Amino acid sequence: MDTSAAYVRGDEQLHEQTRARLVAVVGSDAADLGRVAGEVAHRLHESGQEPDFEVRSADFATDPFFVCADRYWRRRFADSPSSATALACARWIAAHTTAGCRSAVREQWALGNGFINRSHLETREQLDEAARALTGTPEAAELALTVLLYNAGKLRANFAFDDLNAVLTASALATLAGAHRNEAIVLALRSFAAFGSRSLTTEHARDLLDRAWAAAADRPGHVMDVCLNGLAVSVPFDGQGELLRRLAQEAVESAPGNHMFRFRLATAHHLCADHDEALVHLDAALALLARSGAFSRELLLEQYLVKRDAIQEARLRAAREAEHEGRWQRQDAANADLERAMHRSSIRAVELVAVFTSAIAFAVGSLQVTLSGTLKLRERLWLLTALGAGLAVFALLIVGGTWLITRTRTRTRR
């Protein structure tokens, strides 16, 4: 018996069984679909066989073929998180996906597996070697793009902004990708790098963001998410929170069921100190994540819960600060009332002293006029009247001057 023929028949039988099992779960709920797809992917991986079917969408919720291929390549990347695996994946994508979903599948697997395997960074020399291995091969530019995105996904997950910008703009892989460097996902990653870098300007980052966002308007997905992610982790700039909130709201409206867009919107409200609204959208993101078939659900769940704790802590801190601010305002108001009362008391005291002094002076002067001298009664009365009038004018001048001075100071304080 021909052993090679037997192996071929065995492989064909395995692939037929694979397709039959996946067809059988079309229309099932996400949990059953994911379970069966995972079992099939495990069997293919253990047998050393790549999936031999066509992927026509990038839908985790309804497409068992995409989910099965996704689980399979996740295992391959876990075994060897290198550019060589990314190249093998790129070739599979080119051969087994339809044109309509190819970009979405490439972005999902390259960036997603880059995020998962972010601790396995490759050197610039290794990336250059991967580019040299591709030079002269058919579809080299498209294959280079997948490998480039995979490594960019690692750098993005590690917030290596300057390294990410260098790989996307000056590496051999970027050069080999050619015109693909102008694709929206590359522009979005460059904007992410520019927003986080302290050597690139915010204006440059926003220009890249605008170009990427405009290109992704009719295809919401990873491009929008990378753009929003860049804004969220950016070096702070004026209007950052408001811009993120506006764009995240646009993303949510374009894809209401996308849990990541909800998370980005929650982050935007958090930056704008709108903590109650941030919690609303964060809880919505958690609910959507629980129903999704995202391959990195556990990692995303941890990220979302950390953000939720941060929002709650900020909300509690804001409430305490508001309470303290209220106390300070009440104390300031009480101090101001006390200061005004003391001020008025001081004024009244000065006025009272002026009047009292005038009264004493009049009394003393009256006694001297009355008890001594040879003036006639009428002359003494005129003298007393003049003395009293003079002291009254003196008192009025003191009171009026005090009122005028204190009135001017009160207006200045206001």
Side-chain angles (χ1 to χ4, degrees), residues 161-178:
F161 302 108
D162 290 322
D163 289 341
L164 175 59
N165 182 67
V167 165
L168 291 172
T169 58
S171 68
L173 278 172
T175 302
L176 189 59

Side-chain angles (χ1 to χ4, degrees), residues 203-402:
E203 291 73 18
H204 175 63
R206 292 193 64 168
D207 176 64
L208 291 168
L209 170 69
D210 292 340
R211 291 164 59 191
W213 195 264
D218 58 343
R219 191 173 62 86
H222 287 88
V223 174
M224 284 186 170
D225 181 57
V226 173
C227 289
L228 297 174
N229 190 195
L231 274 174
V233 301
S234 171
V235 175
F237 63 90
D238 291 340
Q240 176 188 3
E242 291 75 10
L243 178 59
L244 178 58
R245 181 168 55 186
R246 177 173 64 81
L247 295 183
Q249 185 62 50
E250 289 182 16
V252 168
E253 291 172 358
S254 67
N258 189 306
H259 58 86
M260 185 61 76
F261 289 167
R262 286 281 183 178
F263 174 72
R264 302 301 182 201
L265 184 55
T267 301
H269 283 288
H270 185 203
L271 282 175
C272 294
D274 189 357
H275 306 303
D276 289 337
E277 195 68 19
L279 278 177
V280 169
H281 291 292
L282 201 286
D283 290 340
L286 287 168
L288 290 170
L289 178 63
R291 297 194 296 270
S292 76
F295 65 88
S296 54
R297 182 187 300 174
E298 293 77 13
L299 294 173
L300 291 173
L301 178 62
E302 180 182 358
Q303 182 180 357
Y304 289 8
L305 291 177
V306 168
K307 174 60 72 173
R308 194 178 196 281
D309 289 342
I311 293 171
Q312 287 185 313
E313 181 180 351
R315 183 174 180 271
L316 180 60
R317 185 167 58 250
R320 289 175 177 172
E321 290 175 354
E323 181 181 355
H324 292 161
E325 182 67 22
R327 289 180 180 177
W328 279 112
Q329 289 178 353
R330 290 192 294 272
Q331 185 63 48
D332 287 344
N335 291 341
D337 290 341
L338 178 60
E339 182 181 358
R340 284 192 293 271
M342 294 180 65
H343 187 62
R344 286 194 296 269
S345 298
S346 300
I347 295 172
R348 299 292 88 78
V350 171
E351 294 173 349
L352 182 61
V353 168
V355 173
F356 188 66
T357 301
S358 299
I360 292 176
F362 180 75
V364 172
S366 299
L367 288 175
Q368 290 179 349
V369 172
T370 304
L371 299 177
S372 63
T374 58
L375 296 175
K376 295 180 180 180
L377 178 60
R378 177 179 295 181
E379 292 173 345
R380 290 183 180 185
L381 290 175
W382 278 109
L383 185 59
L384 290 174
T385 301
L387 177 61
L391 292 173
V393 171
F394 169 76
L396 288 174
L397 287 174
I398 295 297
V399 172
T402 303

Side-chain angles (χ1 to χ4, degrees), residues 46-293:
E46 290 299 312
S47 68
Q49 296 292 314
E50 291 186 354
D52 187 24
F53 50 72
E54 186 177 58
V55 170
R56 301 178 180 179
S57 78
D59 189 348
F60 279 110
T62 63
D63 189 346
F65 293 94
F66 170 70
V67 176
C68 177
D70 175 84
R71 298 293 190 268
Y72 171 82
W73 283 107
R74 181 181 179 184
R75 290 177 179 273
R76 286 281 298 272
F77 276 106
D79 289 344
S80 178
S82 65
S83 292
T85 305
L87 178 56
C89 181
R91 289 192 170 110
W92 191 93
I93 291 172
H96 292 87
T97 60
T98 59
C101 73
R102 188 164 300 149
S103 293
V105 173
R106 178 190 298 116
E107 293 166 12
Q108 174 64 48
W109 291 353
L111 297 180
N113 285 294
F115 173 72
I116 293 175
N117 299 290
R118 58 191 178 276
S119 60
H120 299 276
L121 292 174
E122 296 182 70
T123 64
R124 186 65 173 268
E125 290 73 20
Q126 289 173 309
L127 299 185
D128 291 344
E129 180 61 31
R132 284 193 291 271
L134 278 171
T135 304
T137 61
E139 301 178 331
E142 188 171 350
L143 298 178
L145 175 63
T146 303
V147 180
L148 178 66
L149 292 179
Y150 172 63
N151 287 282
K154 292 181 181 181
L155 294 170
R156 172 198 174 198
N158 284 288
F159 302 104
F161 302 108
D162 290 322
D163 289 341
L164 175 59
N165 182 67
V167 165
L168 291 172
T169 58
S171 68
L173 278 172
T175 302
L176 189 59
H180 290 294
R181 287 182 296 178
N182 294 320
E183 289 194 11
I185 188 61
V186 178
L187 294 175
L189 286 166
R190 288 180 60 194
S191 77
F192 175 91
F195 273 121
S197 173
R198 296 186 181 275
S199 60
L200 299 172
T201 65
T202 301
E203 291 73 18
H204 175 63
R206 292 193 64 168
D207 176 64
L208 291 168
L209 170 69
D210 292 340
R211 291 164 59 191
W213 195 264
D218 58 343
R219 191 173 62 86
H222 287 88
V223 174
M224 284 186 170
D225 181 57
V226 173
C227 289
L228 297 174
N229 190 195
L231 274 174
V233 301
S234 171
V235 175
F237 63 90
D238 291 340
Q240 176 188 3
E242 291 75 10
L243 178 59
L244 178 58
R245 181 168 55 186
R246 177 173 64 81
L247 295 183
Q249 185 62 50
E250 289 182 16
V252 168
E253 291 172 358
S254 67
N258 189 306
H259 58 86
M260 185 61 76
F261 289 167
R262 286 281 183 178
F263 174 72
R264 302 301 182 201
L265 184 55
T267 301
H269 283 288
H270 185 203
L271 282 175
C272 294
D274 189 357
H275 306 303
D276 289 337
E277 195 68 19
L279 278 177
V280 169
H281 291 292
L282 201 286
D283 290 340
L286 287 168
L288 290 170
L289 178 63
R291 297 194 296 270
S292 76

